[in-house]
Amino acid sequence: YKLLRTLGLLNSYQAMIVPGVAFLIPTSIWLLKSYFEKIPIDLEEAAFVDGASRVQILRHIITPLSTPGLVVVSLYIFIGAYAQQFLFAITFNSKKEFMPIPAGLYEFVGYQTIKWNEMMAASLVGIAPVLIIFIFLQKYLVEGLTAGAVKN
């Protein structure tokens, strides 16, 4: 909080982005590191012997093999950032125009009543992006999650 206040980032979108990056990047690097370690080094060496440069090896061998892992980590980052916005919004923002959907759902809770119909409609709109992304990337997600399940 003190760092964001010193930099003048309170009550801005950056106040939610910077802490989100600080929380999600280390775990993502750790997940990708373990995934990249499972790619055999022999493939890289064979491509190098065949005359491929490091960029070509990365582009034509490593990236296609690591696509399921990259999709899983990307989905993890998206869902994590989407879910953590409530905590960052109530901590670092006080303006309503910077509040994300989870923080906005709290507005439907009154002193003595709760507007359930409106809250459920807003919740459905709120989960729609995650649901759509999951539906389109489900194949890669399952493939990436089960990549280390079978021992060779």
Side-chain angles (χ1 to χ4, degrees), residues 43-146:
L43 293 173
E44 295 177 48
E45 291 172 352
F48 192 69
V49 168
D50 288 341
S53 67
R54 292 201 180 270
V55 174
Q56 289 174 327
I57 292 171
L58 179 66
R59 188 171 167 207
H60 297 291
I61 295 172
I62 303 300
T63 304
L65 291 174
S66 63
T67 301
L70 292 170
V71 169
V72 168
V73 171
S74 300
L75 194 58
Y76 162 76
I77 289 172
F78 180 75
I79 292 173
Y82 204 70
Q84 287 179 352
Q85 291 303 315
F86 178 73
L87 175 66
F88 299 140
I90 61 173
T91 306
F92 304 124
N93 287 323
S94 59
K95 296 182 179 178
K96 290 192 184 279
E97 59 264 15
F98 295 121
M99 291 294 178
I101 291 174
L105 290 177
Y106 191 69
E107 295 293 320
F108 293 107
V109 178
Y111 182 68
Q112 292 183 339
T113 62
I114 299 174
K115 299 176 184 174
W116 289 108
N117 296 337
E118 292 90 354
M119 184 185 288
M120 293 302 117
S123 297
L124 184 63
V125 170
I127 66 164
V130 176
L131 186 63
I132 290 168
I133 288 173
F134 178 76
I135 288 170
F136 286 115
L137 300 179
Q138 183 177 9
K139 178 183 89 166
Y140 294 108
L141 184 65
V142 172
E143 188 177 328
L145 290 174
T146 59

Side-chain angles (χ1 to χ4, degrees), residues 18-30:
V18 171
V21 169
F23 279 103
L24 294 171
I25 292 294
T27 308
S28 302
I29 290 172
W30 179 67

